[in-house]
Amino acid sequence: MAQAHPSAPHLLRNSDLDTPEIRQARVDLAACFRMAARLNLQEGICNHFSVLVPGRPDLMLVNPYGWAFSEITASRLLICDFEGHVLAGDGVPESTAFHIHARLHLRHPRAVAAFHTHMPNATALSMLEGPPLVWAGQTALKFYGRTAVDENYNGLALDSAEGDRIAAVMEKADIGFLKNHGVMIVGPSIAEAWDDLYYLERAAEVQRLAFATGRPLKAVPQDVAERTYAQMREGGDESARLHLESVKRILSREEPDFLD
C-alpha cells in the first residue's frame, strides 16, 4: 500500500503542485470519475483512473482508496510518485492501483492517462475464450488494431512485478483486455482515455446483445475495417475533447460539487 513519506516535502519545495494546469487536470479527471459512476462503469471502491501530473511526468494523480467514483472531487485526488509516496492529498491509493498504474506510466511515457475498470460489458467479454471484440459493429472499429489481450490472469496485482507484466502486455496497445479481470485503457490525454472508455463499453454492450440473439455475427471485411478505423482517427482527439467538455457541462449543472 502506498503511504506518505517523510522526505516528500522537499519535492513540494522544488515544484509547484498547484498550478492552473494541474487544477485543470484535477477537474477533468474528477469529471471522468463522476460520469463513469453515472454510467455504471465502476465497481465499488476498487477501480482506478490516473494521469501524469502536468509538468511533472514523474508524478501521477490518482483516486484515493475507500472512495466511490461518485464521491470523487477535484481536490480529493492524490498526487503520488512512482514509489508509492503520497505528496499531496489525504489518504492512499489502493494497492493494485499503485502497482498497475505506476508501472504503466513509468514504462510507457505515451500513457499519459490510464483508466482501469471492471465495467460490466467489456469485462464480460474478457471472460470469454477467444478474441474479446468481434469486428462486426461500427463502434468497435474505433479499436481496430489497438487492442491487446492478457491471457494469463495471475490474481491481484500486489507487487511491481505484476504491474510490469501487465505493462508488457500493453506495449503497443491502447486497450488491454485483462482476461478474467477487466480492461485497461491508456491514452495521450484524459479526454482520449475517457472517450475510449465510454465507446469501448458501448461496443461491448451491443456485441453482447448481438450474441444474445444466437445468430452468427456478420464481421466487417478487413479492408473496410482498416479504412473505417483510419476515418475515425482523423480528428479523434478533437472529438474526444468535445466529448469531455460535454461531460463537464452536464456535471456543472447537475453535480457541481465535482469541482470542489
Side-chain angles (χ1 to χ4, degrees):
M1 179 68 69
Q3 58 185 354
H5 192 272
S7 66
H10 81 275
L11 287 175
L12 295 177
R13 287 198 299 270
N14 294 331
S15 174
D16 184 358
L17 297 181
D18 193 26
T19 65
E21 292 79 12
I22 294 173
R23 168 62 184 173
Q24 188 62 60
R26 286 181 174 277
V27 168
D28 289 352
L29 194 58
C32 293
F33 281 111
R34 289 297 187 94
M35 188 55 73
R38 283 185 166 215
L39 299 174
N40 194 32
L41 306 185
Q42 82 297 334
E43 186 168 68
I45 57 170
C46 297
N47 294 172
H48 14 86
F49 297 168
S50 64
V51 66
L52 294 177
V53 173
R56 289 298 304 267
D58 56 329
L59 305 177
M60 65 178 181
L61 275 167
V62 66
N63 48 312
Y65 180 56
W67 297 87
F69 279 18
S70 60
E71 299 179 290
I72 296 299
T73 66
S75 64
R76 186 158 284 152
L77 295 167
L78 307 176
I79 293 181
C80 306
D81 67 16
F82 297 153
E83 297 179 352
H85 306 136
V86 176
L87 308 180
D90 295 326
V92 294
E94 195 224 4
S95 293
T96 59
F98 167 69
H99 289 299
I100 295 174
H101 290 247
R103 305 312 292 177
L104 272 171
H105 290 307
L106 187 64
R107 291 182 56 135
H108 302 311
R110 67 185 177 83
V112 174
F115 288 9
H116 171 60
T117 73
H118 302 163
M119 53 192 186
N121 292 288
T123 299
L125 298 187
S126 81
M127 297 165 60
L128 303 177
E129 292 282 358
L133 282 177
V134 177
W135 309 112
Q138 177 172 287
T139 302
L141 298 180
K142 174 178 171 64
F143 307 106
Y144 191 81
R146 300 174 61 207
T147 64
V149 180
D150 177 12
E151 293 282 0
N152 302 306
Y153 178 67
N154 199 35
L156 299 182
L158 297 178
D159 56 46
S160 294
E162 182 64 7
D164 283 334
R165 191 189 68 77
I166 292 172
V169 170
M170 299 289 295
E171 188 71 34
K172 297 180 180 180
D174 301 324
I175 313 299
F177 282 92
L178 312 180
K179 283 296 182 84
N180 311 108
H181 182 179
V183 295
M184 174 63 72
I185 293 170
V186 300
S189 68
I190 294 171
E192 287 169 270
W194 165 256
D195 200 59
D196 279 348
L197 185 82
Y198 174 85
Y199 284 110
L200 181 64
E201 180 67 355
R202 295 293 288 175
E205 181 180 19
V206 296
Q207 181 173 306
R208 179 181 61 79
L209 291 171
F211 278 151
T213 68
R215 297 170 58 186
L217 271 64
K218 178 178 171 59
V220 174
Q222 181 177 343
D223 62 330
V224 177
E226 292 174 351
R227 185 170 72 250
T228 305
Y229 163 73
Q231 292 170 334
M232 289 181 169
R233 293 299 279 177
E234 287 291 327
D237 55 346
E238 176 64 4
S239 179
R241 185 189 70 80
L242 292 172
H243 187 184
L244 184 55
E245 288 300 313
S246 75
V247 166
K248 289 187 288 184
R249 285 194 301 271
I250 292 167
L251 293 172
S252 293
R253 290 193 303 270
E254 299 177 8
E255 298 182 41
D257 65 308
F258 88 97
L259 295 164
D260 293 349

PDB file of all heavy atoms in Angstrom, residues 206-241:
ATOM      1  N   VAL A 206     -23.266  -3.694 -27.290  1.00  0.00           N
ATOM      2  CA  VAL A 206     -24.026  -4.107 -28.475  1.00  0.00           C
ATOM      3  C   VAL A 206     -23.559  -5.467 -28.977  1.00  0.00           C
ATOM      4  O   VAL A 206     -24.359  -6.247 -29.515  1.00  0.00           O
ATOM      5  CB  VAL A 206     -23.976  -3.041 -29.592  1.00  0.00           C
ATOM      6  CG1 VAL A 206     -24.656  -1.767 -29.138  1.00  0.00           C
ATOM      7  CG2 VAL A 206     -22.559  -2.762 -30.053  1.00  0.00           C
ATOM      8  N   GLN A 207     -22.277  -5.783 -28.779  1.00  0.00           N
ATOM      9  CA  GLN A 207     -21.816  -7.121 -29.166  1.00  0.00           C
ATOM     10  C   GLN A 207     -22.482  -8.184 -28.293  1.00  0.00           C
ATOM     11  O   GLN A 207     -22.902  -9.234 -28.794  1.00  0.00           O
ATOM     12  CB  GLN A 207     -20.293  -7.215 -29.045  1.00  0.00           C
ATOM     13  CG  GLN A 207     -19.758  -8.579 -29.461  1.00  0.00           C
ATOM     14  CD  GLN A 207     -18.254  -8.620 -29.505  1.00  0.00           C
ATOM     15  OE1 GLN A 207     -17.625  -7.799 -30.169  1.00  0.00           O
ATOM     16  NE2 GLN A 207     -17.654  -9.575 -28.796  1.00  0.00           N
ATOM     17  N   ARG A 208     -22.587  -7.909 -26.998  1.00  0.00           N
ATOM     18  CA  ARG A 208     -23.267  -8.854 -26.100  1.00  0.00           C
ATOM     19  C   ARG A 208     -24.726  -9.046 -26.510  1.00  0.00           C
ATOM     20  O   ARG A 208     -25.240 -10.172 -26.517  1.00  0.00           O
ATOM     21  CB  ARG A 208     -23.179  -8.362 -24.661  1.00  0.00           C
ATOM     22  CG  ARG A 208     -23.876  -9.268 -23.649  1.00  0.00           C
ATOM     23  CD  ARG A 208     -23.781  -8.706 -22.253  1.00  0.00           C
ATOM     24  NE  ARG A 208     -24.410  -7.401 -22.119  1.00  0.00           N
ATOM     25  CZ  ARG A 208     -25.720  -7.200 -22.004  1.00  0.00           C
ATOM     26  NH1 ARG A 208     -26.560  -8.231 -22.034  1.00  0.00           N
ATOM     27  NH2 ARG A 208     -26.199  -5.984 -21.870  1.00  0.00           N
ATOM     28  N   LEU A 209     -25.390  -7.957 -26.867  1.00  0.00           N
ATOM     29  CA  LEU A 209     -26.780  -8.050 -27.305  1.00  0.00           C
ATOM     30  C   LEU A 209     -26.893  -8.867 -28.593  1.00  0.00           C
ATOM     31  O   LEU A 209     -27.833  -9.657 -28.763  1.00  0.00           O
ATOM     32  CB  LEU A 209     -27.362  -6.652 -27.512  1.00  0.00           C
ATOM     33  CG  LEU A 209     -27.566  -5.814 -26.244  1.00  0.00           C
ATOM     34  CD1 LEU A 209     -27.936  -4.376 -26.611  1.00  0.00           C
ATOM     35  CD2 LEU A 209     -28.660  -6.433 -25.372  1.00  0.00           C
ATOM     36  N   ALA A 210     -25.938  -8.668 -29.498  1.00  0.00           N
ATOM     37  CA  ALA A 210     -25.958  -9.440 -30.740  1.00  0.00           C
ATOM     38  C   ALA A 210     -25.723 -10.927 -30.457  1.00  0.00           C
ATOM     39  O   ALA A 210     -26.403 -11.797 -31.031  1.00  0.00           O
ATOM     40  CB  ALA A 210     -24.903  -8.907 -31.706  1.00  0.00           C
ATOM     41  N   PHE A 211     -24.787 -11.222 -29.570  1.00  0.00           N
ATOM     42  CA  PHE A 211     -24.552 -12.619 -29.185  1.00  0.00           C
ATOM     43  C   PHE A 211     -25.827 -13.251 -28.631  1.00  0.00           C
ATOM     44  O   PHE A 211     -26.110 -14.434 -28.866  1.00  0.00           O
ATOM     45  CB  PHE A 211     -23.470 -12.702 -28.111  1.00  0.00           C
ATOM     46  CG  PHE A 211     -22.052 -12.664 -28.617  1.00  0.00           C
ATOM     47  CD1 PHE A 211     -21.044 -12.138 -27.817  1.00  0.00           C
ATOM     48  CD2 PHE A 211     -21.710 -13.168 -29.859  1.00  0.00           C
ATOM     49  CE1 PHE A 211     -19.731 -12.110 -28.257  1.00  0.00           C
ATOM     50  CE2 PHE A 211     -20.395 -13.144 -30.310  1.00  0.00           C
ATOM     51  CZ  PHE A 211     -19.409 -12.618 -29.503  1.00  0.00           C
ATOM     52  N   ALA A 212     -26.585 -12.470 -27.878  1.00  0.00           N
ATOM     53  CA  ALA A 212     -27.768 -12.999 -27.191  1.00  0.00           C
ATOM     54  C   ALA A 212     -28.844 -13.471 -28.157  1.00  0.00           C
ATOM     55  O   ALA A 212     -29.714 -14.264 -27.785  1.00  0.00           O
ATOM     56  CB  ALA A 212     -28.338 -11.955 -26.242  1.00  0.00           C
ATOM     57  N   THR A 213     -28.806 -13.017 -29.407  1.00  0.00           N
ATOM     58  CA  THR A 213     -29.797 -13.478 -30.382  1.00  0.00           C
ATOM     59  C   THR A 213     -29.545 -14.917 -30.797  1.00  0.00           C
ATOM     60  O   THR A 213     -30.445 -15.582 -31.330  1.00  0.00           O
ATOM     61  CB  THR A 213     -29.777 -12.590 -31.644  1.00  0.00           C
ATOM     62  OG1 THR A 213     -28.540 -12.797 -32.353  1.00  0.00           O
ATOM     63  CG2 THR A 213     -29.947 -11.125 -31.288  1.00  0.00           C
ATOM     64  N   GLY A 214     -28.324 -15.389 -30.590  1.00  0.00           N
ATOM     65  CA  GLY A 214     -27.979 -16.736 -31.021  1.00  0.00           C
ATOM     66  C   GLY A 214     -27.665 -16.847 -32.495  1.00  0.00           C
ATOM     67  O   GLY A 214     -27.361 -17.944 -32.997  1.00  0.00           O
ATOM     68  N   ARG A 215     -27.727 -15.747 -33.214  1.00  0.00           N
ATOM     69  CA  ARG A 215     -27.453 -15.764 -34.648  1.00  0.00           C
ATOM     70  C   ARG A 215     -25.989 -15.401 -34.896  1.00  0.00           C
ATOM     71  O   ARG A 215     -25.376 -14.700 -34.096  1.00  0.00           O
ATOM     72  CB  ARG A 215     -28.379 -14.787 -35.375  1.00  0.00           C
ATOM     73  CG  ARG A 215     -29.850 -15.158 -35.253  1.00  0.00           C
ATOM     74  CD  ARG A 215     -30.739 -14.047 -35.773  1.00  0.00           C
ATOM     75  NE  ARG A 215     -30.466 -13.715 -37.172  1.00  0.00           N
ATOM     76  CZ  ARG A 215     -31.030 -12.704 -37.819  1.00  0.00           C
ATOM     77  NH1 ARG A 215     -31.906 -11.907 -37.193  1.00  0.00           N
ATOM     78  NH2 ARG A 215     -30.738 -12.458 -39.074  1.00  0.00           N
ATOM     79  N   PRO A 216     -25.400 -15.847 -35.991  1.00  0.00           N
ATOM     80  CA  PRO A 216     -23.997 -15.521 -36.287  1.00  0.00           C
ATOM     81  C   PRO A 216     -23.812 -14.018 -36.501  1.00  0.00           C
ATOM     82  O   PRO A 216     -24.683 -13.351 -37.064  1.00  0.00           O
ATOM     83  CB  PRO A 216     -23.710 -16.293 -37.581  1.00  0.00           C
ATOM     84  CG  PRO A 216     -24.772 -17.328 -37.663  1.00  0.00           C
ATOM     85  CD  PRO A 216     -25.984 -16.747 -36.998  1.00  0.00           C
ATOM     86  N   LEU A 217     -22.680 -13.507 -36.043  1.00  0.00           N
ATOM     87  CA  LEU A 217     -22.375 -12.097 -36.270  1.00  0.00           C
ATOM     88  C   LEU A 217     -21.781 -11.911 -37.670  1.00  0.00           C
ATOM     89  O   LEU A 217     -21.004 -12.757 -38.136  1.00  0.00           O
ATOM     90  CB  LEU A 217     -21.390 -11.575 -35.223  1.00  0.00           C
ATOM     91  CG  LEU A 217     -22.012 -11.006 -33.946  1.00  0.00           C
ATOM     92  CD1 LEU A 217     -22.771 -12.076 -33.172  1.00  0.00           C
ATOM     93  CD2 LEU A 217     -20.943 -10.371 -33.065  1.00  0.00           C
ATOM     94  N   LYS A 218     -22.138 -10.834 -38.310  1.00  0.00           N
ATOM     95  CA  LYS A 218     -21.620 -10.513 -39.646  1.00  0.00           C
ATOM     96  C   LYS A 218     -20.417  -9.591 -39.478  1.00  0.00           C
ATOM     97  O   LYS A 218     -20.569  -8.391 -39.212  1.00  0.00           O
ATOM     98  CB  LYS A 218     -22.692  -9.845 -40.497  1.00  0.00           C
ATOM     99  CG  LYS A 218     -22.222  -9.431 -41.889  1.00  0.00           C
ATOM    100  CD  LYS A 218     -23.356  -8.819 -42.684  1.00  0.00           C
ATOM    101  CE  LYS A 218     -22.862  -8.207 -43.997  1.00  0.00           C
ATOM    102  NZ  LYS A 218     -22.200  -9.207 -44.857  1.00  0.00           N
ATOM    103  N   ALA A 219     -19.210 -10.115 -39.604  1.00  0.00           N
ATOM    104  CA  ALA A 219     -17.998  -9.323 -39.423  1.00  0.00           C
ATOM    105  C   ALA A 219     -17.789  -8.385 -40.615  1.00  0.00           C
ATOM    106  O   ALA A 219     -18.179  -8.682 -41.755  1.00  0.00           O
ATOM    107  CB  ALA A 219     -16.793 -10.234 -39.261  1.00  0.00           C
ATOM    108  N   VAL A 220     -17.170  -7.252 -40.347  1.00  0.00           N
ATOM    109  CA  VAL A 220     -16.818  -6.287 -41.386  1.00  0.00           C
ATOM    110  C   VAL A 220     -15.547  -6.779 -42.085  1.00  0.00           C
ATOM    111  O   VAL A 220     -14.600  -7.208 -41.420  1.00  0.00           O
ATOM    112  CB  VAL A 220     -16.586  -4.897 -40.757  1.00  0.00           C
ATOM    113  CG1 VAL A 220     -16.073  -3.909 -41.792  1.00  0.00           C
ATOM    114  CG2 VAL A 220     -17.872  -4.396 -40.111  1.00  0.00           C
ATOM    115  N   PRO A 221     -15.482  -6.736 -43.410  1.00  0.00           N
ATOM    116  CA  PRO A 221     -14.259  -7.150 -44.109  1.00  0.00           C
ATOM    117  C   PRO A 221     -13.046  -6.359 -43.622  1.00  0.00           C
ATOM    118  O   PRO A 221     -13.160  -5.186 -43.258  1.00  0.00           O
ATOM    119  CB  PRO A 221     -14.569  -6.847 -45.579  1.00  0.00           C
ATOM    120  CG  PRO A 221     -16.062  -6.876 -45.665  1.00  0.00           C
ATOM    121  CD  PRO A 221     -16.553  -6.350 -44.357  1.00  0.00           C
ATOM    122  N   GLN A 222     -11.887  -6.995 -43.642  1.00  0.00           N
ATOM    123  CA  GLN A 222     -10.685  -6.382 -43.083  1.00  0.00           C
ATOM    124  C   GLN A 222     -10.368  -5.038 -43.718  1.00  0.00           C
ATOM    125  O   GLN A 222     -10.019  -4.079 -43.022  1.00  0.00           O
ATOM    126  CB  GLN A 222      -9.487  -7.317 -43.247  1.00  0.00           C
ATOM    127  CG  GLN A 222      -8.196  -6.749 -42.661  1.00  0.00           C
ATOM    128  CD  GLN A 222      -7.029  -7.707 -42.761  1.00  0.00           C
ATOM    129  OE1 GLN A 222      -7.211  -8.904 -42.979  1.00  0.00           O
ATOM    130  NE2 GLN A 222      -5.826  -7.198 -42.611  1.00  0.00           N
ATOM    131  N   ASP A 223     -10.462  -4.943 -45.057  1.00  0.00           N
ATOM    132  CA  ASP A 223     -10.107  -3.679 -45.704  1.00  0.00           C
ATOM    133  C   ASP A 223     -11.052  -2.559 -45.302  1.00  0.00           C
ATOM    134  O   ASP A 223     -10.623  -1.404 -45.112  1.00  0.00           O
ATOM    135  CB  ASP A 223     -10.066  -3.841 -47.229  1.00  0.00           C
ATOM    136  CG  ASP A 223     -11.414  -4.231 -47.828  1.00  0.00           C
ATOM    137  OD1 ASP A 223     -12.207  -4.921 -47.132  1.00  0.00           O
ATOM    138  OD2 ASP A 223     -11.697  -3.836 -48.975  1.00  0.00           O
ATOM    139  N   VAL A 224     -12.333  -2.882 -45.128  1.00  0.00           N
ATOM    140  CA  VAL A 224     -13.307  -1.879 -44.702  1.00  0.00           C
ATOM    141  C   VAL A 224     -13.058  -1.499 -43.240  1.00  0.00           C
ATOM    142  O   VAL A 224     -13.139  -0.327 -42.862  1.00  0.00           O
ATOM    143  CB  VAL A 224     -14.745  -2.384 -44.888  1.00  0.00           C
ATOM    144  CG1 VAL A 224     -15.754  -1.359 -44.377  1.00  0.00           C
ATOM    145  CG2 VAL A 224     -15.009  -2.704 -46.354  1.00  0.00           C
ATOM    146  N   ALA A 225     -12.721  -2.489 -42.414  1.00  0.00           N
ATOM    147  CA  ALA A 225     -12.425  -2.218 -41.009  1.00  0.00           C
ATOM    148  C   ALA A 225     -11.235  -1.277 -40.888  1.00  0.00           C
ATOM    149  O   ALA A 225     -11.259  -0.312 -40.112  1.00  0.00           O
ATOM    150  CB  ALA A 225     -12.160  -3.522 -40.271  1.00  0.00           C
ATOM    151  N   GLU A 226     -10.184  -1.536 -41.653  1.00  0.00           N
ATOM    152  CA  GLU A 226      -8.993  -0.689 -41.603  1.00  0.00           C
ATOM    153  C   GLU A 226      -9.298   0.728 -42.074  1.00  0.00           C
ATOM    154  O   GLU A 226      -8.846   1.703 -41.471  1.00  0.00           O
ATOM    155  CB  GLU A 226      -7.885  -1.309 -42.456  1.00  0.00           C
ATOM    156  CG  GLU A 226      -7.332  -2.608 -41.877  1.00  0.00           C
ATOM    157  CD  GLU A 226      -6.345  -3.285 -42.810  1.00  0.00           C
ATOM    158  OE1 GLU A 226      -6.225  -2.841 -43.969  1.00  0.00           O
ATOM    159  OE2 GLU A 226      -5.704  -4.265 -42.377  1.00  0.00           O
ATOM    160  N   ARG A 227     -10.082   0.840 -43.147  1.00  0.00           N
ATOM    161  CA  ARG A 227     -10.417   2.162 -43.680  1.00  0.00           C
ATOM    162  C   ARG A 227     -11.293   2.936 -42.704  1.00  0.00           C
ATOM    163  O   ARG A 227     -11.083   4.140 -42.474  1.00  0.00           O
ATOM    164  CB  ARG A 227     -11.118   2.022 -45.028  1.00  0.00           C
ATOM    165  CG  ARG A 227     -11.384   3.373 -45.704  1.00  0.00           C
ATOM    166  CD  ARG A 227     -11.865   3.208 -47.135  1.00  0.00           C
ATOM    167  NE  ARG A 227     -13.227   2.695 -47.228  1.00  0.00           N
ATOM    168  CZ  ARG A 227     -13.542   1.479 -47.660  1.00  0.00           C
ATOM    169  NH1 ARG A 227     -12.597   0.629 -48.037  1.00  0.00           N
ATOM    170  NH2 ARG A 227     -14.803   1.098 -47.734  1.00  0.00           N
ATOM    171  N   THR A 228     -12.251   2.250 -42.103  1.00  0.00           N
ATOM    172  CA  THR A 228     -13.147   2.913 -41.154  1.00  0.00           C
ATOM    173  C   THR A 228     -12.385   3.375 -39.915  1.00  0.00           C
ATOM    174  O   THR A 228     -12.599   4.478 -39.412  1.00  0.00           O
ATOM    175  CB  THR A 228     -14.293   1.976 -40.747  1.00  0.00           C
ATOM    176  OG1 THR A 228     -14.970   1.518 -41.923  1.00  0.00           O
ATOM    177  CG2 THR A 228     -15.284   2.692 -39.838  1.00  0.00           C
ATOM    178  N   TYR A 229     -11.474   2.527 -39.429  1.00  0.00           N
ATOM    179  CA  TYR A 229     -10.639   2.914 -38.300  1.00  0.00           C
ATOM    180  C   TYR A 229      -9.851   4.183 -38.622  1.00  0.00           C
ATOM    181  O   TYR A 229      -9.798   5.124 -37.814  1.00  0.00           O
ATOM    182  CB  TYR A 229      -9.682   1.785 -37.929  1.00  0.00           C
ATOM    183  CG  TYR A 229      -8.543   2.249 -37.069  1.00  0.00           C
ATOM    184  CD1 TYR A 229      -8.745   2.572 -35.734  1.00  0.00           C
ATOM    185  CD2 TYR A 229      -7.270   2.401 -37.597  1.00  0.00           C
ATOM    186  CE1 TYR A 229      -7.706   3.034 -34.944  1.00  0.00           C
ATOM    187  CE2 TYR A 229      -6.223   2.853 -36.821  1.00  0.00           C
ATOM    188  CZ  TYR A 229      -6.440   3.162 -35.494  1.00  0.00           C
ATOM    189  OH  TYR A 229      -5.409   3.628 -34.717  1.00  0.00           O
ATOM    190  N   ALA A 230      -9.255   4.232 -39.810  1.00  0.00           N
ATOM    191  CA  ALA A 230      -8.484   5.414 -40.199  1.00  0.00           C
ATOM    192  C   ALA A 230      -9.376   6.646 -40.249  1.00  0.00           C
ATOM    193  O   ALA A 230      -8.966   7.749 -39.839  1.00  0.00           O
ATOM    194  CB  ALA A 230      -7.816   5.176 -41.556  1.00  0.00           C
ATOM    195  N   GLN A 231     -10.595   6.503 -40.754  1.00  0.00           N
ATOM    196  CA  GLN A 231     -11.528   7.621 -40.787  1.00  0.00           C
ATOM    197  C   GLN A 231     -11.843   8.111 -39.374  1.00  0.00           C
ATOM    198  O   GLN A 231     -11.915   9.318 -39.130  1.00  0.00           O
ATOM    199  CB  GLN A 231     -12.816   7.207 -41.494  1.00  0.00           C
ATOM    200  CG  GLN A 231     -12.663   6.942 -42.974  1.00  0.00           C
ATOM    201  CD  GLN A 231     -13.896   6.302 -43.590  1.00  0.00           C
ATOM    202  OE1 GLN A 231     -14.667   5.617 -42.908  1.00  0.00           O
ATOM    203  NE2 GLN A 231     -14.094   6.510 -44.892  1.00  0.00           N
ATOM    204  N   MET A 232     -12.021   7.173 -38.453  1.00  0.00           N
ATOM    205  CA  MET A 232     -12.347   7.539 -37.078  1.00  0.00           C
ATOM    206  C   MET A 232     -11.182   8.247 -36.390  1.00  0.00           C
ATOM    207  O   MET A 232     -11.397   9.094 -35.517  1.00  0.00           O
ATOM    208  CB  MET A 232     -12.743   6.299 -36.288  1.00  0.00           C
ATOM    209  CG  MET A 232     -14.089   5.718 -36.669  1.00  0.00           C
ATOM    210  SD  MET A 232     -14.493   4.274 -35.662  1.00  0.00           S
ATOM    211  CE  MET A 232     -16.220   4.024 -36.099  1.00  0.00           C
ATOM    212  N   ARG A 233      -9.960   7.909 -36.762  1.00  0.00           N
ATOM    213  CA  ARG A 233      -8.799   8.520 -36.122  1.00  0.00           C
ATOM    214  C   ARG A 233      -8.598   9.960 -36.559  1.00  0.00           C
ATOM    215  O   ARG A 233      -7.977  10.750 -35.832  1.00  0.00           O
ATOM    216  CB  ARG A 233      -7.545   7.713 -36.423  1.00  0.00           C
ATOM    217  CG  ARG A 233      -7.536   6.338 -35.809  1.00  0.00           C
ATOM    218  CD  ARG A 233      -7.602   6.361 -34.301  1.00  0.00           C
ATOM    219  NE  ARG A 233      -6.319   6.612 -33.676  1.00  0.00           N
ATOM    220  CZ  ARG A 233      -6.136   6.744 -32.367  1.00  0.00           C
ATOM    221  NH1 ARG A 233      -7.166   6.651 -31.544  1.00  0.00           N
ATOM    222  NH2 ARG A 233      -4.942   6.962 -31.881  1.00  0.00           N
ATOM    223  N   GLU A 234      -9.102  10.312 -37.736  1.00  0.00           N
ATOM    224  CA  GLU A 234      -8.996  11.689 -38.207  1.00  0.00           C
ATOM    225  C   GLU A 234      -9.843  12.599 -37.316  1.00  0.00           C
ATOM    226  O   GLU A 234     -11.056  12.463 -37.250  1.00  0.00           O
ATOM    227  CB  GLU A 234      -9.472  11.802 -39.667  1.00  0.00           C
ATOM    228  CG  GLU A 234      -8.510  11.208 -40.683  1.00  0.00           C
ATOM    229  CD  GLU A 234      -7.237  12.008 -40.813  1.00  0.00           C
ATOM    230  OE1 GLU A 234      -7.292  13.238 -40.654  1.00  0.00           O
ATOM    231  OE2 GLU A 234      -6.182  11.390 -41.053  1.00  0.00           O
ATOM    232  N   GLY A 235      -9.195  13.497 -36.613  1.00  0.00           N
ATOM    233  CA  GLY A 235      -9.927  14.390 -35.723  1.00  0.00           C
ATOM    234  C   GLY A 235     -10.412  13.738 -34.454  1.00  0.00           C
ATOM    235  O   GLY A 235     -11.230  14.319 -33.728  1.00  0.00           O
ATOM    236  N   GLY A 236      -9.911  12.537 -34.159  1.00  0.00           N
ATOM    237  CA  GLY A 236     -10.378  11.834 -32.971  1.00  0.00           C
ATOM    238  C   GLY A 236     -10.042  12.539 -31.680  1.00  0.00           C
ATOM    239  O   GLY A 236     -10.816  12.501 -30.717  1.00  0.00           O
ATOM    240  N   ASP A 237      -8.887  13.220 -31.644  1.00  0.00           N
ATOM    241  CA  ASP A 237      -8.515  13.923 -30.422  1.00  0.00           C
ATOM    242  C   ASP A 237      -9.452  15.095 -30.152  1.00  0.00           C
ATOM    243  O   ASP A 237      -9.830  15.352 -29.001  1.00  0.00           O
ATOM    244  CB  ASP A 237      -7.063  14.402 -30.479  1.00  0.00           C
ATOM    245  CG  ASP A 237      -6.763  15.255 -31.710  1.00  0.00           C
ATOM    246  OD1 ASP A 237      -7.572  15.272 -32.665  1.00  0.00           O
ATOM    247  OD2 ASP A 237      -5.698  15.904 -31.711  1.00  0.00           O
ATOM    248  N   GLU A 238      -9.876  15.783 -31.203  1.00  0.00           N
ATOM    249  CA  GLU A 238     -10.804  16.897 -31.021  1.00  0.00           C
ATOM    250  C   GLU A 238     -12.187  16.393 -30.619  1.00  0.00           C
ATOM    251  O   GLU A 238     -12.859  16.993 -29.775  1.00  0.00           O
ATOM    252  CB  GLU A 238     -10.902  17.714 -32.311  1.00  0.00           C
ATOM    253  CG  GLU A 238     -11.910  18.852 -32.276  1.00  0.00           C
ATOM    254  CD  GLU A 238     -11.594  19.953 -31.260  1.00  0.00           C
ATOM    255  OE1 GLU A 238     -10.534  19.886 -30.606  1.00  0.00           O
ATOM    256  OE2 GLU A 238     -12.417  20.879 -31.127  1.00  0.00           O
ATOM    257  N   SER A 239     -12.616  15.295 -31.225  1.00  0.00           N
ATOM    258  CA  SER A 239     -13.893  14.708 -30.835  1.00  0.00           C
ATOM    259  C   SER A 239     -13.876  14.302 -29.369  1.00  0.00           C
ATOM    260  O   SER A 239     -14.844  14.520 -28.630  1.00  0.00           O
ATOM    261  CB  SER A 239     -14.200  13.493 -31.718  1.00  0.00           C
ATOM    262  OG  SER A 239     -15.419  12.899 -31.346  1.00  0.00           O
ATOM    263  N   ALA A 240     -12.756  13.732 -28.923  1.00  0.00           N
ATOM    264  CA  ALA A 240     -12.633  13.337 -27.516  1.00  0.00           C
ATOM    265  C   ALA A 240     -12.671  14.552 -26.602  1.00  0.00           C
ATOM    266  O   ALA A 240     -13.301  14.534 -25.539  1.00  0.00           O
ATOM    267  CB  ALA A 240     -11.334  12.554 -27.313  1.00  0.00           C
ATOM    268  N   ARG A 241     -12.009  15.626 -27.020  1.00  0.00           N
ATOM    269  CA  ARG A 241     -12.020  16.857 -26.213  1.00  0.00           C
ATOM    270  C   ARG A 241     -13.440  17.384 -26.065  1.00  0.00           C
ATOM    271  O   ARG A 241     -13.867  17.751 -24.955  1.00  0.00           O
ATOM    272  CB  ARG A 241     -11.131  17.925 -26.859  1.00  0.00           C
ATOM    273  CG  ARG A 241     -10.990  19.191 -26.017  1.00  0.00           C
ATOM    274  CD  ARG A 241     -10.291  20.293 -26.787  1.00  0.00           C
ATOM    275  NE  ARG A 241     -11.104  20.831 -27.865  1.00  0.00           N
ATOM    276  CZ  ARG A 241     -12.078  21.721 -27.708  1.00  0.00           C
ATOM    277  NH1 ARG A 241     -12.389  22.171 -26.486  1.00  0.00           N
ATOM    278  NH2 ARG A 241     -12.760  22.158 -28.743  1.00  0.00           N
TER     279      ARG A 241
END
